[in-house]
Amino acid sequence: MRVLVTGGAGFIGSHAARALRGAGHTVVTLDALLPQAHADRPPGEAGVDVVCDVRDGASVERALRGVDAVCHQAAMVGLGSDFDDAPDYVGCNDLGTAVLLAAMARRGVRDIVLAGSMVVYGEGAYTCAEHGPVRPGPRAEADLDAGRFDPLCPRCGARPEPGLVGEDAPTDPRNVYAATKLAQEHLCAAWARATGGRAVSLRYHNVYGPGMPRDTPYAGVASFFRSALARGRAPRVFEDGRQRRDFVHVRDVADANAAVLAALPERPEGVLSAFNVGSGTPHTVGDLAWTLAEAHGGPDPVVTGEYRLGDVRHITASSARLTEEFGWRPRVGFDEGVREFARAEPRARAGAEAPAR
């Protein structure tokens, strides 16, 4: 199969392209090489077949010649700096996806795997001892200021127990990035209905591993911690460090893309299906910081009590559906993956120095 990987020079996209080639596919990579992720990286060094913005419809359509399927990884990621980033997020993620899908429709390409995200859920799954499954709303700023980080049962005010969120959970995006990731899914679903195409959204949880961009407000928490350690500084852990996440290694995410693309021609036409991609083993943000610091040789993390509005408290995944339908399983354990990441050379500096979170 000939596969176009958008964002093919990026953190996840480059790993996905490698996994697809390893599975015997012919891969064409497309990337805009935006400075947020690719500072001082000439096109020749990035190994990109087509250098263009995914919003450039004519260039994208040319890149789709002879292509059987698309692995759509191109996106602006993270919470960004402030709401002034909203037009950039919508432009990169939603307009870019719309332009790509329109070009696919013209070229008759009918299969796409989308890099989705767990951020579409908002808070994760919670169970109240008295009221059963509950969905806490956004946390109040006054509570965060007072160090009350855990959401409460909206019916009785008790602290519910966090659990694993499944794909059938309602979506509740809490920030601009999350809203654009959900909009990408809606666009792919509309495209599939209109064209008879097959679409899968892989809702990544917290992806980490070699090749993460460093020192940019658009990177993830693992990158912030690793960058701080590389500068000899203590990782700064927000809130109390007990917020739960599912840290999944980038090679496992790449393998998930390869597994789904191989089976995509057998999927039902005209629909989008969503699948969580996580390790299945929750860890706290503090766990990540301490494991990274220990493997790197210090300094020890500092728990700051700071917070970011728009962050959720706990979000961890059940990836059982992906395992059942595609036979995929994560292979890289937390300790193994984090220790490898601690030794890996971070990607070149991109943009202004950002605080570690």
Side-chain angles (χ1 to χ4, degrees):
M1 193 158 52
R2 185 177 177 88
V3 182
L4 175 66
V5 179
T6 69
F11 168 46
I12 298 176
S14 60
H15 283 272
R18 191 175 302 117
L20 289 167
R21 291 190 183 101
H25 301 291
T26 299
V27 175
V28 179
T29 53
L30 180 153
D31 203 293
L33 298 180
L34 297 176
Q36 294 97 317
H38 303 285
D40 303 321
R41 201 172 183 206
E45 292 181 12
V48 178
D49 298 306
V50 181
V51 178
C52 78
D53 194 303
V54 76
R55 290 167 288 188
D56 179 352
S59 295
V60 170
E61 190 167 349
R62 287 193 294 271
L64 285 167
R65 289 175 182 164
V67 163
D68 302 297
V70 173
C71 181
H72 184 29
Q73 306 294 320
M76 185 175 177
V77 301
L79 277 179
S81 300
D82 51 45
F83 203 83
D84 284 344
D85 286 334
D88 290 332
Y89 275 107
V90 173
C92 288
N93 297 353
D94 298 338
L95 177 59
T97 298
V99 170
L100 171 66
L101 293 170
M104 291 174 63
R106 291 191 295 271
R107 280 289 178 188
V109 181
R110 293 293 180 262
D111 292 327
I112 185 169
V113 174
L114 170 69
S117 175
M118 55 81 182
V119 295
V120 301
Y121 296 118
E123 284 285 353
Y126 290 86
T127 302
C128 173
E130 182 175 351
H131 297 106
V134 294
R135 290 188 56 78
R139 297 179 293 173
E141 192 168 357
D143 287 335
L144 296 171
D145 285 337
R148 295 187 292 268
F149 300 119
D150 283 305
L152 303 178
C153 173
R155 298 181 62 184
C156 68
R159 183 180 296 174
E161 183 67 22
L164 300 181
V165 64
E167 293 88 348
D168 295 329
T171 54
D172 183 20
R174 301 281 177 92
N175 54 60
V176 170
Y177 170 62
T180 65
K181 296 307 290 183
L182 184 57
Q184 283 185 306
E185 291 192 359
H186 290 321
L187 287 165
C188 287
W191 165 85
R193 286 192 295 270
T195 65
R198 293 172 286 254
V200 167
S201 176
L202 293 178
R203 291 174 175 170
Y204 304 156
H205 282 247
N206 288 71
V207 187
Y208 73 97
M212 289 191 83
R214 57 172 292 187
D215 295 335
T216 163
Y218 306 96
V221 65
S223 178
F224 288 130
F225 292 162
R226 179 65 181 82
S227 295
L229 290 165
R231 298 192 299 271
R233 300 179 185 175
R236 295 175 59 81
V237 181
F238 276 21
E239 301 187 16
D240 57 4
R242 297 175 184 167
Q243 55 270 45
R244 296 188 192 181
R245 296 292 186 268
D246 188 328
F247 298 102
V248 59
H249 196 276
V250 66
R251 287 197 297 273
D252 286 331
V253 171
D255 288 346
N257 278 274
V260 170
L261 277 162
L264 205 51
E266 308 303 320
R267 301 290 301 174
E269 297 179 355
V271 297
L272 175 136
S273 303
F275 298 87
N276 289 330
V277 184
S279 71
T281 306
H283 288 87
T284 68
V285 172
D287 289 339
L288 175 66
W290 280 98
T291 304
L292 262 177
E294 180 184 1
H296 190 270
D300 290 343
V302 175
V303 178
T304 69
E306 298 170 85
Y307 64 86
R308 295 190 304 182
L309 286 175
D311 276 348
V312 298
R313 178 61 171 172
H314 304 298
I315 176 70
T316 54
S318 169
S319 301
R321 181 179 292 180
L322 184 64
T323 297
E324 291 167 3
E325 296 199 24
F326 295 97
W328 170 88
R329 280 181 170 78
R331 297 180 298 167
V332 183
F334 179 79
D335 288 340
E336 171 194 354
V338 172
R339 292 181 185 283
E340 176 202 22
F341 180 51
R343 296 188 297 267
E345 186 66 28
R347 181 177 290 181
R349 184 183 183 87
E353 184 175 303
R357 294 177 171 85

